[in-house]
Amino acid sequence: MLHLIIAVALIGALYVVLVETLFKKSKCKGTADVTGKTAIITGGNTGIGKATAMDLAGRGMRVILACRNQQKAEAAINDIKKATCSNDIVYMELDLGSLKSVRAFAETFLKTESRLDLLINNAGLVADGRTTDGFGIEFGVNHLGHFLLTHLLLDRLKESPASRVITVASMAYRWGKIDFDSLISTKDLGSGRYSWQFFQAYCNSKLCNVLFTHELANRLKGSNVTCYSVHPGKPHLWDNVMLRVLCECSVSGI
């Protein structure tokens, strides 16, 4: 019985430590006016992306949900409109697993939208398989699709007085590694039959996100575009890291 009590106490203590550190909830206190500005959120129809879209729409920003599934996107848009009373939310088709789709999305956006202030590279997955172009699906969707999307939209971002690129990474990048020889030969950063192998590939893709953000930030020094990568935590704690970046980093003026 004593051992059980000690075990329960240790588990309880660990839970408290995690809640007060890694998963500690914080509240965005920013009051910046974003009316008239435009944001793209990849994977904005569910989870973290939807929560972000909800907040930005409530602040008056034009929000474009860049998603693969139109039905889910339209359902999310209806939810957001009801909650925020904003009608400035639209869906544009984007499949990050297809570089052709990424190019088509960018072409459509540049023809129909006059400005871009905020690009949130949010969509991601843990899965096995290949993209349309033959890349490992985690590497292709989590990194390559967003890499190309950012590149294609960069000139429009530069046209705004102060714009941002935010890439949703993960603290899992700490366990990531990049085997360039394997990447060249397999077009993948890791795959396998077991869940832990899928997770390793995910960690590798998140490392790509972080490295990409660092390099992009270096290349854009002195410009009006600033770049961030964030570890978001759990969706129900979404008013922590991401919204802090959106609201409290005054360097971009958003």
Side-chain angles (χ1 to χ4, degrees), residues 224-238:
N224 57 313
V225 184
T226 52
C227 309
Y228 308 87
S229 60
V230 299
H231 168 69
K234 295 182 178 180
H236 68 278
L237 299 181
W238 181 238

Side-chain angles (χ1 to χ4, degrees), residues 102-193:
V102 175
R103 293 184 184 279
F105 171 89
E107 182 179 359
T108 300
F109 175 86
L110 293 173
K111 285 181 179 179
T112 58
E113 298 290 332
S114 60
R115 67 180 296 163
L116 179 59
D117 302 276
L118 180 59
L119 172 60
I120 303 179
N121 295 321
N122 163 75
L125 50 73
V126 179
D128 190 28
R130 293 276 168 174
T131 68
T132 303
D133 307 282
F135 294 97
I137 194 165
E138 290 175 302
F139 174 57
V141 171
N142 296 356
H143 172 62
L144 279 184
H146 285 128
F147 179 95
L148 178 60
L149 179 65
T150 304
H151 170 73
L152 295 174
L153 298 178
L154 197 54
D155 285 342
R156 183 58 52 85
L157 283 161
K158 289 178 179 178
E159 292 173 2
S160 294
S163 56
R164 296 181 181 181
V165 177
I166 298 178
T167 300
V168 180
S170 167
M171 65 178 295
Y173 85 90
R174 298 175 181 176
W175 300 291
K177 58 184 178 181
I178 300 175
D179 185 338
F180 289 101
D181 291 334
S182 176
L183 181 58
I184 292 171
S185 62
T186 67
K187 300 176 74 172
D188 200 355
L189 287 175
S191 59
R193 298 174 55 188

Side-chain angles (χ1 to χ4, degrees), residues 2-250:
L2 179 60
H3 291 90
L4 179 60
I5 294 174
I6 293 174
V8 171
L10 288 174
I11 292 172
L14 178 61
Y15 173 80
V16 171
V17 169
L18 288 174
V19 168
E20 290 300 318
T21 56
L22 186 59
F23 300 124
K24 185 175 182 180
K25 187 174 181 179
S26 58
K27 187 174 180 61
C28 177
K29 300 179 181 178
T31 58
D33 183 12
V34 295
T35 303
K37 297 186 178 183
T38 299
I40 292 174
I41 306 175
T42 66
N45 60 344
T46 187
I48 289 171
K50 183 179 177 181
T52 306
M54 187 85 71
D55 185 89
L56 294 178
R59 295 169 183 265
M61 183 174 273
R62 177 171 175 79
V63 178
I64 296 170
L65 301 188
C67 312
R68 183 177 57 178
N69 189 305
Q70 182 174 359
Q71 185 176 359
K72 290 182 179 180
E74 290 177 347
I77 288 173
N78 289 333
D79 290 343
I80 294 169
K81 285 182 176 180
K82 289 178 182 177
T84 65
C85 297
S86 171
N87 290 312
D88 211 3
I89 312 161
V90 297
Y91 159 76
M92 287 190 185
E93 183 179 0
L94 172 64
D95 180 359
L96 289 163
S98 166
L99 298 182
K100 180 180 179 181
S101 176
V102 175
R103 293 184 184 279
F105 171 89
E107 182 179 359
T108 300
F109 175 86
L110 293 173
K111 285 181 179 179
T112 58
E113 298 290 332
S114 60
R115 67 180 296 163
L116 179 59
D117 302 276
L118 180 59
L119 172 60
I120 303 179
N121 295 321
N122 163 75
L125 50 73
V126 179
D128 190 28
R130 293 276 168 174
T131 68
T132 303
D133 307 282
F135 294 97
I137 194 165
E138 290 175 302
F139 174 57
V141 171
N142 296 356
H143 172 62
L144 279 184
H146 285 128
F147 179 95
L148 178 60
L149 179 65
T150 304
H151 170 73
L152 295 174
L153 298 178
L154 197 54
D155 285 342
R156 183 58 52 85
L157 283 161
K158 289 178 179 178
E159 292 173 2
S160 294
S163 56
R164 296 181 181 181
V165 177
I166 298 178
T167 300
V168 180
S170 167
M171 65 178 295
Y173 85 90
R174 298 175 181 176
W175 300 291
K177 58 184 178 181
I178 300 175
D179 185 338
F180 289 101
D181 291 334
S182 176
L183 181 58
I184 292 171
S185 62
T186 67
K187 300 176 74 172
D188 200 355
L189 287 175
S191 59
R193 298 174 55 188
Y194 304 105
S195 58
W196 68 267
Q197 292 172 317
F198 301 156
F199 180 68
Q200 180 62 61
Y202 174 81
C203 296
N204 298 345
S205 71
K206 294 293 104 177
L207 177 58
C208 288
N209 289 160
V210 173
L211 294 175
F212 165 59
T213 301
H214 275 270
E215 180 59 25
L216 186 63
N218 287 333
R219 295 191 181 204
L220 293 176
K221 274 184 179 178
S223 76
N224 57 313
V225 184
T226 52
C227 309
Y228 308 87
S229 60
V230 299
H231 168 69
K234 295 182 178 180
H236 68 278
L237 299 181
W238 181 238
D239 57 352
N240 59 9
V241 181
M242 174 70 92
L243 293 182
R244 276 188 164 182
V245 172
L246 294 176
C247 304
E248 296 176 6
C249 295
S250 59

